[in-house]
Amino acid sequence: GSITFSVPDGYIIESIVFTPLSTADIKGFKEVKNNTWTGSAQSVTFNATETAVKLTSAIVSYKRQQTVSISAVGYSTFSSEHSVIVPSGMQAGVVTLDGDIAQVDYIYQTGDIIPANEGVLLKANPGSYDFTIANSASTNPAVENYLQPANTNEVITAPAGMLFYILANDPANGLGFYFQSGSNNGTQVSGIKGKAYLAVEGARQVR
């Protein structure tokens, strides 16, 4: 027989501690050492190799997290409705403007907490990174930051006098902030939940 432990999307199992009726009653689970399984998975299945595995309890420890992929360009925008911890090997920055020039200040380093609903620019080597959702939500967003969080895939329309830009890798001009394709000249963005967009006054031509 087998038994499966699973958690909802956005959660990861870190450990499962079993209490068997006796030491012999747990040896059928070969993945378990000292009555404990450790790892990182959304679902864990144990297959018994003995006639019976007898348990009195199983304590599952889990955490909330979000996974983000960084492409070959080494950058991505990001936002979350939760406060999250910057993973190892990554920096996260806010964007300010010096005239029409976008400038990045990497104020969040590995282990720092990015506040909920703070749009940031991520910098890291290509790969997948797991953001653990922080227990504390007390950190305040940066005072000056032109990156706005996208908490929906629906169309977000710019207020009068504002323009929205997204991070993109243009074949001719390289990585930068550009109007999204089909955005009616920067007056809206859509389909970017979990990312961030640059919101500036329409009189500025960001580069």
Side-chain angles (χ1 to χ4, degrees), residues 61-138:
S61 297
Y62 58 92
K63 64 181 180 181
R64 294 188 292 178
Q65 72 174 27
Q66 292 177 251
T67 300
V68 172
S69 294
I70 301 294
S71 69
V73 300
Y75 295 88
S76 178
T77 58
F78 171 80
S79 64
S80 174
E81 296 177 73
H82 307 281
S83 295
V84 296
I85 301 172
V86 180
S88 177
M90 176 176 284
Q91 296 175 296
V94 297
V95 173
T96 58
L97 293 178
D98 182 3
D100 293 339
I101 306 298
Q103 297 186 330
V104 184
D105 185 4
Y106 291 101
I107 63 175
Y108 303 113
Q109 305 295 318
T110 296
D112 289 343
I113 296 177
I114 301 173
N117 298 309
E118 173 89 290
V120 293
L121 180 68
L122 305 178
K123 179 181 179 181
N125 290 328
S128 294
Y129 295 83
D130 293 329
F131 285 84
T132 299
I133 295 177
N135 292 325
S136 172
S138 60

Side-chain angles (χ1 to χ4, degrees), residues 48-60:
T49 57
E50 302 290 334
T51 302
V53 174
K54 300 177 182 179
L55 305 172
T56 59
S57 68
I59 300 174
V60 179

Side-chain angles (χ1 to χ4, degrees), residues 146-171:
Y146 286 83
L147 280 175
Q148 300 299 310
N151 293 327
T152 178
N153 279 321
E154 301 298 319
V155 174
I156 305 172
T157 302
M162 299 292 289
L163 291 176
F164 292 165
Y165 299 77
I166 64 166
L167 185 70
N169 192 19
D170 182 74

Side-chain angles (χ1 to χ4, degrees), residues 1-5 13 15-16 18 26 28-33 36-38 44-49 53 55 58:
S2 65
I3 185 172
T4 298
F5 298 88
I13 298 173
S15 68
I16 305 173
F18 296 96
I26 194 65
F29 287 166
K30 290 191 174 181
E31 305 92 341
V32 176
K33 305 297 181 184
T36 303
W37 175 91
T38 57
V44 185
T45 297
F46 299 96
N47 296 297
T49 57
V53 174
L55 305 172

